[in-house]
Amino acid sequence: MLKRRLRFKFNCAMIAVCLGVSLLFGALFYYLDSLYYQTALDGVEQVLTTVSMQKRVEIAFDLYSGQDVALRASLEEMAALKHVLGVRAYDKDGNLKMEVLGPAGEAQLRAGGSQRISQGEAFLLRETSLTANDLHELATGSALQRTEFLGASAGRFLYTIRSMDATQGHIEIFYDLSDILANSRTGLILLGLTLVAMVLSMALLLNVLLSGLVIRPVEMLRNAMNRVREGLIGLQVTSLPNDEIGDMAAAFNGMSVELEAKRDSLMASEAKYRSLFENAVEGLFRTTMDGRILGANPALARILGYESQQELMHEVRSLESIFFIDAASRLELRRRLKEHGYVQDFEQQLRRRNGEVIWVAETVRLVPGLDGEALFMEGSLVDVTERRRAGVLEREKIQAEAQNRAKSEFLAAMSHEIRTPMNAILGMTDLAMASGLSPKQWEFMQTVKDSAFHLLTVINDILDLSKIEAGRLELEPVDFDLEHLMGSIAKSMAYQARKKGLELYRSMDANAPRYLHGDPARLRQVLLNLVGNAIKFTESGRVVMRVRFLVPEEIAAPNSTGSTDSADTVAPPETADSVDTVGNEPPLCFAFSVQDTGIGVPAQKQQEIFNSFTQAQGSVTSRKYGGTGLGLAISRKLVHMMGGEITLESEEGDGSIFTFTACFGKGDPEAVQKEETLLAEWSERRGALNILLVEDNPLNVRVAELHLKRMGHNIIVANNGEHALEIMSTMPEKAFDVVLMDLEMPVMDGFEATRTIRSATMNNPALDAGPNPNVPIIAMTAHALIDVKERCLEIGMNDFVAKPVNFADLSAAIQRAVLPDLRAGAEALPEGGAVTASALTRETAPPRPPAAEPPAEHCVDDDESAPPVLDTKGAIRTLGITPELFQPIFENSVREVRMLFDRLGTEYEAGDIAAVTLSAHTAKSTAATMGALECRDAARQVELAARDNSDALPTHIEAMAAALARLEQRIAADESSADE
């Protein structure tokens, strides 16, 4: 239709144009032909006028004198001219005098017939005289008029003969106009043919041009639109001209692409939501207000007991009256729905098709129409029968877990309560054995020490097992030397092996990396347990420790019995999540094995011995060899935590091979060598120290314990100065080698406690107990100002360590206090153990990061020098610990700072400025430990303002609140970024 209509319009337009052109050129050609004809007549008239004028005198004389012969001769001479048909002469009154036919006239007469001659009629005209009209025209001048001669076109020329100003007569010449008319007609025909050819050519050219430039592109657009309408979205039109039609095509292509994108998006969205609808676990439905089903998904059909939603909708007319059991519940649902328009998780019972009663949670909403009235309901049904059943089981499970946790916590608490005095027993035994006992007394004390060590081992096993079961035991990865660790284990177990006459060997893989990143303490615990068991259950022969570095091809899956398929392969690590590596480096995995020539393990017991409180021969083994049966259970759990698996190959009476795998990260040799050098120096000069840590902040206690345990020292914690004095009063005078004293504490601060210790005498001479006035005291505080240091030295403290405490600084301070000869350029401590302020400034301890406390004049409001909100990397460097050890410290610090700020606000509202000062001081120290430098400075300003009871205290509290808010926002943003 488009094609016909468009072509019809174009053809009509072309016809109109052609007609217009034809009319225009026809008028032009007619004008030219008329011009030509008139020009020809004018020429004839001019010729005839000239001839008449030439004969005028002769004819006038002949007419006047009546000489007919001469007149005829003159007329014949004029008639002889070409194209002249004949000539007539009239007298002055217009009467015919004579007429003569010329050759052309005779030829025409012959062609037309000679009838008139025979009748004696005039040759040229029937009339023999001029009419009045003719005479009138002659009076106005000569003229050439059209007439006919025997049916042929001719020209009639009248001319008046004048002589001596008198009319003598008239001449009438008939001229043949056939040639002129023929030429005019021929020219007109040629012009017409030319016009027709031109018009036809123009029409054809226009048709071709319009077809190529307009109709064909439009048809292409029309066809493309039809195909798009038929569903072929995305179709593109190409090869179109760069004009308006091309712009239309480009717009069409753009719309086609957009339609395709929208169609794809709609299809994807429809498929997604259709898939969600069809595959949803919840039963989705849409019903009328009276419950008639309008739509349902397969899940709803399954919940109600039908094979498909089609079957459900075919058989069920209303959900309301068939499935739901409790009418009161439905009325309640209807009431809530009418009141709120939406009800969520409304639990009720319904009866399935097979009669089974289940619990469902229904979520439904009303869908209103344009008038606001509810049109239908839509919602979902979820089968919560199992959930309700599981709720009972979950409550029972939670109760059982709570009981188990309570048991584990009880064991942990009891083990801790027993181990604390046991450490005191061991310490007292060492002191007694070093006090010059007799051999018999020394033997008694050695027995006490051995028994205490045995009991402590059992307690430690129980404590470790309870921690593991409670999920509270975590690995503490550090850099360590594997070769040194293996050598240390061999040395520590060599005495027991030699005592039983056994040979103890160790073998290291030459290709094994030496420096690793992991928890050497737990690795040592597993190896010591396995080597200790091997020595315990071997009467003769040897015990061999082997370490082999694993390549990927050597790792094989264990079989169902827990052992590997071949001796050449080992069980793989269970998980890599527990392995701390640097960047994207793969973990380094090892196979550790301990082989003995002992009693072996029966095949039926090889899996049971890894259970808690289980031994290979039961009570017989326990009575003969001792032990609790916890070692292997703890070892297996520790191996699992290190990402490995433990296996056993054994035959009864033929020895055993315990093999376990473990994975570690790549260690830093420089860090290991530095720490080993420092610890070796300690070992050479002095063994483990008994240290009293006086600190009220649990976080600072945790940091100090990490450092002191790495040094191998024994620690007792007091939470304030008064508590420290109580502990010291019940201990021997020299029970503590050094005291680490915090300055700002509740009840009694560090200054008063130090003054009391320095001025003390033995409180209980009978028990040889009381504070040692000469015990080295090291101050630990967040104050880094010179006046605070001088005050510490003035009251008798030996040294000063700024918080957050750094491992190197703390180690150096303890060395200076306990082993003064280790100080570079050493000078003996004065009596009483104190040093001067000048001596303190000449210490050569390793340089530490910038002071954790800004100078007093530091302005935290200065944008250019304002500290960062959070600098965890700097905190880790300052503390001298690993990121893994820092993480729990950081988490506890965040909670501690928030708790301290909240408490600080409560104390300020209560008007307790002294308590505000202490809380701000503690918050400052905690913030510095975690690297929250902005919050640290804000807390310091609060502390200073509270100490001076300044009016600016509320402003500083608000500033601290803002800093804490920025800190929490930063932590939340970092956690969100880590999750993504």
Side-chain angles (χ1 to χ4, degrees), residues 64-209:
Y64 178 77
S65 61
Q67 294 182 12
D68 293 335
V69 176
L71 179 59
R72 179 176 291 279
S74 296
L75 294 177
E76 286 178 353
E77 186 178 353
M78 293 177 66
L81 293 175
K82 188 179 180 180
H83 299 302
V84 175
L85 297 174
V87 181
R88 278 183 173 183
Y90 297 92
D91 59 15
K92 60 180 180 181
D93 295 326
N95 296 317
L96 178 62
K97 289 292 291 181
M98 185 181 293
E99 65 178 9
V100 177
L101 283 176
E106 291 177 355
Q108 186 68 27
L109 184 63
R110 286 194 298 272
S114 57
Q115 182 180 3
R116 287 181 293 178
I117 296 176
S118 60
Q119 294 176 350
E121 297 178 349
F123 291 114
L124 299 176
L125 294 171
R126 292 184 183 273
E127 295 83 359
T128 58
S129 62
L130 295 176
T131 65
N133 187 36
D134 293 336
L135 293 175
H136 175 72
E137 290 180 359
L138 287 171
T140 59
S142 61
L144 182 65
Q145 301 176 356
R146 288 274 314 260
T147 186
E148 289 186 0
F149 180 76
L150 297 177
S153 180
R156 178 185 174 215
F157 178 76
L158 293 174
Y159 185 79
T160 302
I161 302 298
R162 296 177 182 275
S163 177
M164 296 178 292
D165 296 329
T167 299
Q168 300 298 325
H170 306 280
I171 297 175
E172 183 179 25
I173 303 173
F174 291 92
Y175 190 86
D176 186 4
L177 297 179
S178 300
D179 289 345
I180 294 176
L181 291 174
N183 291 336
S184 175
R185 188 178 297 108
T186 301
L188 190 60
I189 291 172
L190 291 176
L191 289 175
L193 292 176
T194 302
L195 177 61
V196 170
M198 184 178 65
V199 170
L200 291 177
S201 299
M202 184 176 65
L204 181 61
L205 179 61
L206 285 175
N207 193 11
V208 172
L209 290 176

Side-chain angles (χ1 to χ4, degrees), residues 575-604:
T575 176
D577 294 340
S578 59
V579 182
D580 185 74
T581 60
V582 179
N584 295 324
E585 293 184 2
L588 305 175
C589 297
F590 295 80
F592 299 87
S593 64
V594 176
Q595 181 178 4
D596 62 62
T597 57
I599 62 176
V601 180
Q604 65 274 15

Side-chain angles (χ1 to χ4, degrees), residues 646-721:
I646 187 168
T647 61
L648 167 63
E649 296 180 22
S650 178
E651 292 184 8
E652 189 172 5
D654 197 21
S656 304
I657 302 177
F658 285 87
T659 303
F660 70 91
T661 55
C663 294
F664 307 93
K666 186 177 180 181
D668 182 5
E670 294 184 2
V672 174
Q673 293 169 1
K674 180 179 178 180
E675 184 171 342
E676 286 181 354
T677 301
L678 184 61
L679 296 179
E681 192 175 52
W682 271 107
S683 300
E684 292 174 4
R685 305 303 301 266
R686 181 72 180 265
L689 300 179
N690 296 321
I691 297 177
L692 176 61
L693 175 62
V694 188
E695 172 64 67
D696 66 314
N697 189 332
L699 180 65
N700 293 334
V701 172
R702 171 63 174 162
V703 174
E705 284 182 335
L706 284 175
H707 295 329
L708 296 174
K709 286 181 179 179
R710 289 170 65 187
M711 299 176 195
H713 300 318
N714 303 315
I715 309 161
I716 294 180
V717 179
N719 53 28
N720 57 62

Side-chain angles (χ1 to χ4, degrees), residues 31 128 170 406 419 534 623 723 731 771 874 883 944:
Y31 169 75
T128 58
H170 306 280
R419 189 170 61 171
R623 288 193 301 270
H723 187 199
M731 300 289 286
L944 294 176

